[in-house]
Amino acid sequence: MSKARKHVTSRLKDDSSPELGESEVVARVTELRGTQLEVETGGERILVNVPSKFSRYVFIKRGNFVIIHKADFTDPRFKVRGILSNVLTASQVKQMKKDKTWPAEFEDPPAPATDAPSADDYMLNPNHMPDEDDEDEDGNDED
């Protein structure tokens, strides 16, 4: 096993919450663009390079959380503003929330207090024919 793959896979198997460096931030993947990702962090969307050690061994999809390094990419002339440094697993996200190191911008919004949806709220499938047993000849439901 190569050193690059060994370090990437060992980082992914580690369930402890990762330490964020001085210029590292947590971001959410919003769009995939080949070897680059568009991520959302701090209310802004930026483009991030994905090193080949991640692109070959890790499957990244929209909505995943990643850690990006932003220090060297401050020049506004360039579109790329960071580089991917780690992909967070669900257990690492859970651990960061438990340790209270999770960014407030990605906290789950409280669930709206609404009543349970009624049967009228669901759209009926137009391809499904109603059963003949459910309706009598007049079209009224049998109760």
Side-chain angles (χ1 to χ4, degrees):
M1 183 182 301
S2 70
K3 286 185 180 182
R5 188 168 95 187
K6 182 169 51 172
H7 292 296
V8 170
T9 55
S10 67
R11 243 192 246 175
L12 290 174
K13 290 179 183 178
D14 185 20
D15 289 337
S16 64
S17 65
E19 298 285 328
L20 292 179
E22 192 173 304
S23 59
E24 292 182 334
V25 293
V26 176
R28 180 183 314 172
V29 177
T30 57
E31 194 172 330
L32 307 168
R33 296 183 178 188
T35 60
Q36 297 174 340
L37 300 174
E38 187 173 310
V39 297
E40 180 183 357
T41 180
E44 65 177 338
R45 295 177 96 162
I46 60 173
L47 205 58
V48 175
N49 272 339
V50 179
S52 61
K53 68 179 182 180
F54 288 109
S55 64
R56 292 183 187 153
Y57 303 113
V58 179
F59 181 71
I60 302 171
K61 59 183 181 176
R62 285 187 205 141
N64 281 13
F65 291 99
V66 295
I67 296 178
I68 59 172
H69 182 73
K70 291 176 66 173
D72 302 332
F73 300 93
T74 56
D75 192 356
R77 295 181 298 159
F78 303 115
K79 290 183 180 182
V80 176
R81 300 288 172 95
I83 189 165
L84 180 74
S85 63
N86 196 5
V87 179
L88 295 175
T89 61
S91 60
Q92 288 174 330
V93 170
K94 189 175 182 180
Q95 185 66 34
M96 287 180 77
K97 287 180 181 179
K98 187 178 178 182
D99 296 342
K100 303 211 186 300
T101 58
W102 188 248
E105 64 189 272
F106 297 124
E107 286 293 327
D108 295 330
T114 59
D115 297 334
S118 66
D120 297 333
D121 294 339
Y122 297 111
M123 182 178 147
L124 296 176
N125 186 351
N127 297 326
H128 180 72
M129 298 296 293
D131 291 339
E132 293 178 14
D133 298 339
D134 293 344
E135 298 181 9
D136 63 2
E137 295 158 5
D138 296 335
N140 297 331
D141 290 332
E142 294 178 354
D143 291 336

